[in-house]
């Protein structure tokens, strides 16, 4: 599956953005989908992930209550709605896909084989 992320930009603290990730291929619905982010000089970190049907979603503690991950399998799309953005949310955001595997944590970066190119989110006044 190929992934294309979009929707990044410059926003003031407290503002909102919605990131989109478009997937190609007929088997998009068979993949666990996730968002990761990487700030300058930092490692790529987990943000959120959802199961193939969107029935379960896991969030990193720092984004709980502010970010919402959703997917539309009919449109091969995954979204990350980001509200109440903070300066420390500034990063390059990547969408990623993984085959289902209940033995590996959804947070585990190494399980995700397919990655989008990243979209830059800058939170600054």
């Amino acid at each position: 599956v190929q992934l294309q992320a979009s929707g990044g930009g410059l926003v003031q603290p407290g503002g909102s953005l919605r990131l989109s990730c478009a997937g190609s291929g007929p088997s998009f619905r068979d993949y666990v989908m996730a968002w990761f982010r990487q700030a300058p000089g930092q490692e790529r970190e987990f943000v959120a992930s959802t199961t193939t049907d969107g029935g379960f979603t896991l969030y990193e503690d720092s984004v709980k209550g502010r970010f919402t991950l959703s997917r539309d399998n009919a449109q091969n799309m995954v979204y990350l709605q980001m509200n109440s953005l903070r300066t420390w949310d500034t990063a390059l955001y990547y969408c990623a896909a993984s085959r289902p595997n209940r033995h590996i944590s959804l947070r585990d970066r190494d399980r995700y084989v397919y990655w989008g190119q990243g979209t830059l989110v800058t939170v600054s006044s």
Side-chain angles (χ1 to χ4, degrees):
V1 62
Q2 291 184 321
L3 303 174
Q4 180 79 28
S6 62
L10 174 63
V11 63
Q12 292 187 339
S16 298
L17 278 176
R18 189 176 82 153
L19 305 184
S20 300
C21 177
S24 65
S27 59
F28 178 83
R29 65 180 64 245
D30 295 332
Y31 288 89
V32 168
M33 296 300 299
W35 286 94
F36 284 75
R37 65 185 179 186
Q38 187 168 16
Q42 303 294 318
E43 289 194 356
R44 193 170 299 187
E45 66 174 6
F46 172 80
V47 176
S49 180
T50 188
T51 49
T52 55
D53 62 355
F56 175 77
T57 305
L58 180 68
Y59 295 96
E60 178 60 30
D61 285 348
S62 65
V63 307
K64 279 181 183 176
R66 300 190 299 123
F67 291 11
T68 302
L69 190 156
S70 61
R71 68 187 297 165
D72 182 345
N73 285 338
Q75 300 294 324
N76 283 11
M77 296 292 296
V78 174
Y79 304 100
L80 186 67
Q81 177 66 43
M82 305 186 296
N83 299 328
S84 302
L85 282 161
R86 305 290 183 253
T87 54
W88 56 84
D89 293 318
T90 294
L92 198 58
Y93 282 72
Y94 297 89
C95 59
S98 165
R99 288 291 189 180
N101 187 333
R102 63 176 60 192
H103 301 294
I104 304 176
S105 170
L106 291 173
R107 299 174 182 270
D108 191 337
R109 184 178 59 192
D110 291 336
R111 72 173 288 165
Y112 295 93
V113 180
Y114 304 100
W115 292 83
Q117 85 288 2
T119 184
L120 182 61
V121 173
T122 303
V123 185
S124 174
S125 56

